[in-house]
Amino acid sequence: MAIKTRFTKAFGIEHPIVQGGMQWVGYAEIAAPVSDAGGLGMLTALAMPTPEDLAKEIARTKEMTDKPFGVNLTILPAIKPPPYAEYRQAIIEGGIKIVETAGYKPQEHIDHFKEHGIKVIHKCTAVRHALSAERMGADAISIDGFECAGHPGEDDIPGLILIPAAADKVKVPMLASGGFGDGRGLVAALALGADGINMGTRFCVTKEAPIHENFKKQMVENDERDTKLIFRTLHNTARVMKNAVSEEVVAIEAKGGAKFEDIQHLVAGVRGRAAMEKGDADDGIWSAGMIQGLIHDIPTVKELIDRIIADAEKIMDERLA
């Protein structure tokens, strides 16, 4: 039995499984096999240093798969913002037909993509933001619960409440994000009103993910308690893997009155990337979700997607029959 939903039909994919945008991970190596396996792979635009590099990565991905794939473009407030318009142009000229936007005030980006016939999925952490994105013209919503890696917002609403709360109001197809990694999660998401799932951390722990093996092994060893919330006092909460650096950040914030400058040396992106390249899972900040507690192996992307679908079908055919 194929699991067909509004999302699979609207976006032309086989399985209701999407690989979300992931900084330093969302390259052709992971996006292409996800799409080949029937899901929707995503390149991460800002993982590429320049718009020209993104154009090259789009072309490289097209050489690796003939299935649909998308590009994530995350918009965050910054002292020196990236050249978003140039990244958008690289996406448009690359012939991409699906974009996942995330973050701050996406109207300009949604409008520009829609002018070129590109479908937009907007990722957000609150029902009110989902409804706002829907009004802006988003074709689908990815609703991100408190369990997620990266930025869960400041409302702290877990998926069990957030997903059906959004499903009650959002009219366009919706993905459930944050805490998904197996067939049970997919069935639960569908039962709660979603049209598919968006996975990040789980796709990091696959053979194709361009991450040092030490990080993959660490996430297999970790359980659901092995994350930390940093930047809470700065009102920019991020969920990251528990390690020496994230614990130090939390300790500094707990003293009170911390400014970003007090922790900048610990959370700098260059430090995190260097740690990943060296394979030192205890140095630098690494985004990871609570789903770590349900990750027990390092399969290929195809093995993972096939297993999720098979397990979901078995649950629906047997337990829920």
Side-chain angles (χ1 to χ4, degrees), residues 21 30 43 99 154 165 173 177 187 211 217 232 264-265 269 313:
I30 189 74
L43 299 177
V99 168
E154 305 302 315
S177 185
V187 174
I211 301 168
K217 289 176 180 175
R232 293 242 85 178
Q264 187 171 2
H265 64 292
E313 290 175 346

Side-chain angles (χ1 to χ4, degrees), residues 97-118:
K97 294 302 177 188
I98 302 169
V99 168
E100 178 188 61
T101 54
Y104 190 68
K105 293 185 177 179
Q107 183 73 74
E108 173 189 356
H109 308 281
I110 292 175
D111 288 347
H112 194 186
F113 289 131
K114 298 283 283 185
E115 285 171 13
H116 293 271
I118 296 171

Side-chain angles (χ1 to χ4, degrees), residues 2-14:
I3 300 175
K4 296 300 178 188
T5 69
R6 293 188 302 163
F7 188 87
T8 62
K9 293 172 185 174
F11 287 80
I13 59 173
E14 185 180 355

Side-chain angles (χ1 to χ4, degrees), residues 79-294:
I79 295 170
K80 187 181 178 183
Y84 287 119
E86 294 175 31
Y87 277 100
R88 289 199 308 266
Q89 200 58 38
I91 291 168
I92 292 163
E93 290 176 2
I96 294 296
K97 294 302 177 188
I98 302 169
V99 168
E100 178 188 61
T101 54
Y104 190 68
K105 293 185 177 179
Q107 183 73 74
E108 173 189 356
H109 308 281
I110 292 175
D111 288 347
H112 194 186
F113 289 131
K114 298 283 283 185
E115 285 171 13
H116 293 271
I118 296 171
K119 289 184 182 294
V120 177
I121 307 162
H122 186 67
K123 188 172 185 178
C124 46
T125 60
V127 176
R128 62 189 182 279
H129 298 153
L131 293 172
S132 176
E134 186 179 53
R135 288 192 296 271
M136 290 179 192
D139 299 280
I141 296 296
S142 180
I143 196 80
D144 221 353
F146 186 55
E147 304 90 336
C148 71
H151 294 281
E154 305 302 315
D155 295 339
D156 298 358
I157 310 297
L160 193 60
I161 302 300
L162 186 62
I163 298 160
D168 282 346
K169 296 182 179 180
V170 172
K171 295 181 178 62
V172 296
M174 191 179 76
L175 299 170
S177 185
F180 295 96
D182 60 22
R184 296 171 297 182
L186 174 55
V187 174
L190 297 174
L192 292 170
D195 301 283
I197 55 174
N198 185 320
M199 305 192 309
T201 303
R202 189 59 188 96
F203 275 127
C204 287
V205 192
T206 57
K207 288 193 176 0
E208 294 93 335
I211 301 168
H212 198 286
E213 204 67 16
N214 290 356
F215 279 79
K216 298 178 188 181
K217 289 176 180 175
Q218 186 63 56
M219 286 186 276
V220 169
E221 291 174 14
N222 286 350
D223 67 22
E224 64 277 6
R225 300 167 297 169
D226 286 317
T227 69
K228 286 288 183 181
L229 293 171
I230 62 173
F231 306 154
R232 293 242 85 178
T233 61
L234 303 176
H235 308 292
N236 188 29
T237 301
R239 187 180 298 283
V240 299
M241 189 165 72
K242 180 181 178 181
N243 65 9
V245 174
S246 61
E247 293 200 271
E248 187 175 349
V249 172
V250 170
I252 291 170
E253 289 193 74
K255 292 176 182 176
K259 299 182 177 64
F260 182 71
E261 293 74 26
D262 301 325
I263 55 176
Q264 187 171 2
H265 64 292
L266 296 169
V267 303
V270 288
R271 176 172 179 169
R273 186 162 193 172
M276 188 182 74
E277 289 170 354
K278 290 184 297 183
D280 187 348
D282 223 26
D283 185 26
I285 293 298
W286 178 256
S287 289
M290 289 180 170
I291 191 62
Q292 288 178 115
L294 301 180

